[in-house]
Amino acid sequence: MKSADIRESFLSFFESKGAKRLPSSSLVPDDPSLLLTSAGMVQFKPVFLGARDIGVTRATTCQKCARTTDIDIIGTTGRHHSFFEMLGNFSFGDYFKSEACAWAYEYSTDVLGMDPDRLWFSIYEDDDEAEAVWRDEVGVPQDRIVRMGAKDNFWSAGPTGPCGPCSELYYDQGPEVGCGLDTCAPGCDCDRFVEYWNLVFMQYDRQDDGTLEPLPKKNIDTGMGLERVAAIMQGVHTNFETDDLRVLVAVGEGLSGVSLGAAEKTDVSLRILADHARAVAFLIADGVLPSNEGRGYVLRRLLRRAIRHGRLLGVDDAFMVQLIDTVIGRWGTPYPELVDNAELIRGIVASEEERFSATLRQGLAFLTEAMERAHVGGETVLDGTEAFTLHDTYGFPYELTSEIAAESGLEVDHEAFEAAMEAQRERGRAAVKDESWSFGSAFDEMARTAGATEFLGYGADEAESTVVGIVVGGTSVERIEAGQEGEVVLAATPFYAEQGGQVGDTGVLSADDTRFAVSDTRFAVPGLVAHVGILEAGGISVGDTVHAAIDVMRRERIRRNHTATHILHWALRRILGDHVRQSGSLVAPERLRFDFTHFEAISAEQLHRIEEMANHKIMENHQVLNYETSLATAREMGVTALFGEKYGEIVRVLEVGNFSKELCGGTHVAWSSEIGLLKIVSEGSVGANLRRIEAVTSFDALAYTDRVEAELGEAASVLKVGRFDVAERAGALVKRVKDLENAAQRAKSHLSGFDPASLAEGALDAGYPVVIAQVPDITAAEMRGVWDVVRTRLGDSAAAVIASKDPESGAPLLLAAGTPGAVEAGFDAGSLIKAIAPRIKGGGGGRREMAQAGGKDASGIEAALSEARSALGVG
Ligand code: SER
């Protein structure tokens, strides 16, 4: 039997027993006390606890599961995984042990056709009832029933919560497969007895203090590992040789040229590649992105471990995407989220692989330095905290660090490393645990008795409705009085409760003299809408009828922003590509914020095109349709589901024209032109591969452009130009400031120590004082400045012949200048320059008072000055 056939046969077998086939829930659980969905029962936890009714008492699922506890041994065994599929059947206060056992036996022997002589059954040490069921009702031989302790046969989802004794089914692969020891029996660590199905008799709720409270009803939770059963059915001894996983292993073989079975060490790496690639693809498809904490860290660790094992197998180029493509191809049919998010999964994996390849190199440099320090200090041990930094900052697996250290004769201080790791794990645990669900709140009770709140707000802004509950200070009360803050629950309401990024409505609940101001609306528990606010006047009692009216103007703005968000999402995908996925949003009255996956910065030009495209769609005035349909129909229509989001069977679709179709429960405009105008006000990075755009629409967009215009107007008046010349003038001014700064800088560096005034001291006597000198490199204009200084020192009758080199080009420059007094006494700057300029291969001239020349040959400067000395008779 192929894996796909086993999956289908299990689900239809339990359907034939009256169970409803339900979809797998996301790997990201709806339960803040859990990091990842680790079992089929996770989505049913509130049902077991009696806090939620899902309308059926029997269910069957094939659940995507991820477990982190086994990561270190994955690959060293043939049957542990970071990701696996769990087939399960569940009873919520309906059938119990007799049926659970009988059906597990029936499915194993009749449907799968397992040889009954190979089956073994473990039970909890004091569960006589389970033993009686197996022996007397199912008819299995007494000697195949083994009793085990709490470690093996008492199952719980976590330290607290639903739990109970369990019974497991084992398949004996035969003595040739196992360890061969006499003591080998179910529960042995070897591969002989495969534990393939766990039947949990869920009847307790473990409290914080460890005590077991009986649950309101007795339940069944069973979990059968699809990969393990496939291995049994396909007669192979490891899960990695079953049909689907074998294909994935083969990709690793192709990449590395190493075959499965060649050596234990390479087998481990090949298995890790297959296992981790599958987990990575499924995690990203459910909305997990690589990060340094929580589930993002699990994802990153798996990716890096796989990449490193690729390197160990000799694969030096990027290879993960090839494995990922195989996962999408093999599992895409039962799990369409892989196909829907294919571009994104590939993009994330490729970018992480590229990043890690870079840190691998940097990490090696860091390690080399750390090892050198240790050697210089005469150490034989490498500090464990260095290994931790390598692990934490460079993503270096500990084993890699210790391997390389060993090559250079150093041992890593493992204890210090572990201590640092433990401290980090503590931080991780604290982060995951800080909020915890409380079942049994005042609202739970209300949800049970009153049922879900009916939402009228798609069509109405106001309505009359009955008060079904009031909560003040966390307790359910019959009446709320003026001045009290509280939460009011109605049978039906036009108020939208915060969800999907759209903020909750505000407004008023009123009756005669009563007025309750609603400042927010939220889901107190799933399905139950609470109006949060303060009773300003009068009083409200449970059972009263009130008039509920939302703040219509505010909702209008929210509607525009919400529809605009969908159009923006569409435009982003058009311009940037299909890997763009919404990963979070905020739809408030005054603005919208949209977070999405993208792997690089967005250029100004792209941003402009995105905004332009969105506005085109807005102004084309498309009709906006918002309606309910089944999830299956929506999928067929190609509706975009929100990345990482969970949906029920009936979903709401939002269609804008014929270009955007998304699942969305929010409130929207009827025609796109109501949005008026969309202006993007900011764009930037908010994490690895995540970007954020903020935008405003309609009147807020107008207000935004008004502000921009006012700023521009002010800038224009300061610069004294027209509005559309601001950039040019500002550019010119900036350039001028730069030039001046450069000149000042040059003056500082070239003229340091040069005081033009000191030139005067070296003046010669030509009947009037004359300075003839070369000065540090300055421009022609600066030379005139030097002359200005010199003449103030020398009085009415003075002259100068100054040479310099242009600081930029190095070309020689000459300046001759004289006061009117000197000119009267015969000084002629123009003819002097004409006479000496040829010495610097140049030419020039001017008036009798002032003349300048530039030349090509700076080596002639001295000759030019000496000729000037002779000409003036001072040589
Ligand atoms: N919850 C149990 C397990 O995970 C049975 O499904 O083993």
Side-chain angles (χ1 to χ4, degrees), residues 97 123-137 142 145 147 165-166 201:
K97 284 186 195 177
I123 57 168
Y124 184 50
E125 53 199 2
D126 63 4
D127 195 353
D128 297 337
E129 193 187 7
E131 183 175 69
V133 170
W134 283 124
R135 187 189 55 224
D136 306 334
E137 297 180 24
Q142 173 74 51
I145 306 172
R147 288 182 184 241
C166 62
F201 311 127

Side-chain angles (χ1 to χ4, degrees), residues 412-463:
V412 182
D413 178 352
H414 188 74
E415 261 175 40
F417 173 79
E418 275 303 327
M421 281 294 282
E422 190 48 42
Q424 195 202 40
R425 276 191 214 113
E426 257 325 303
R427 291 195 292 275
R429 273 195 285 270
V432 175
K433 271 197 199 142
D434 56 20
E435 17 167 351
S436 163
W437 256 8
S438 62
F439 295 105
S441 72
F443 291 110
D444 272 323
E445 190 51 39
M446 237 173 258
R448 255 198 298 273
T449 51
T453 314
E454 191 188 345
F455 179 58
L456 309 168
Y458 292 122
D461 294 334
E462 49 192 290

Side-chain angles (χ1 to χ4, degrees), residues 39 41 67 86 155 198 200 221-223:
M41 57 76 70
R67 288 190 185 177
M86 184 184 281
W155 197 90
N198 185 13
V200 184
D221 153 34
T222 90

Side-chain angles (χ1 to χ4, degrees), residues 211-270:
T211 53
L212 295 174
E213 283 283 322
L215 286 170
K217 291 174 184 158
K218 289 180 177 172
N219 310 288
I220 289 293
D221 153 34
T222 90
M224 184 178 102
L226 174 60
E227 295 79 1
R228 291 187 182 184
V229 172
I232 295 170
M233 299 310 295
Q234 294 167 17
V236 292
H237 296 145
T238 74
N239 298 354
F240 294 95
E241 292 156 278
T242 59
D243 52 348
D244 285 334
L245 278 170
R246 186 66 185 85
V247 173
L248 208 45
V249 172
V251 177
E253 291 177 323
L255 284 162
S256 63
V258 177
S259 307
L260 190 68
E264 181 53 29
K265 206 169 162 235
T266 48
D267 278 3
V268 171
S269 294
L270 284 169

Side-chain angles (χ1 to χ4, degrees), residues 38-42 48 65 67 84 86-90 155-157 166 168 195 197-200 202 221-224:
S38 57
M41 57 76 70
V42 167
F48 287 132
C65 296
R67 288 190 185 177
F84 62 97
M86 184 184 281
L87 290 158
N89 60 291
F90 307 90
W155 197 90
S156 47
C166 62
E168 290 182 301
E195 170 206 319
W197 201 341
N198 185 13
L199 317 179
V200 184
M202 198 70 96
D221 153 34
T222 90
M224 184 178 102

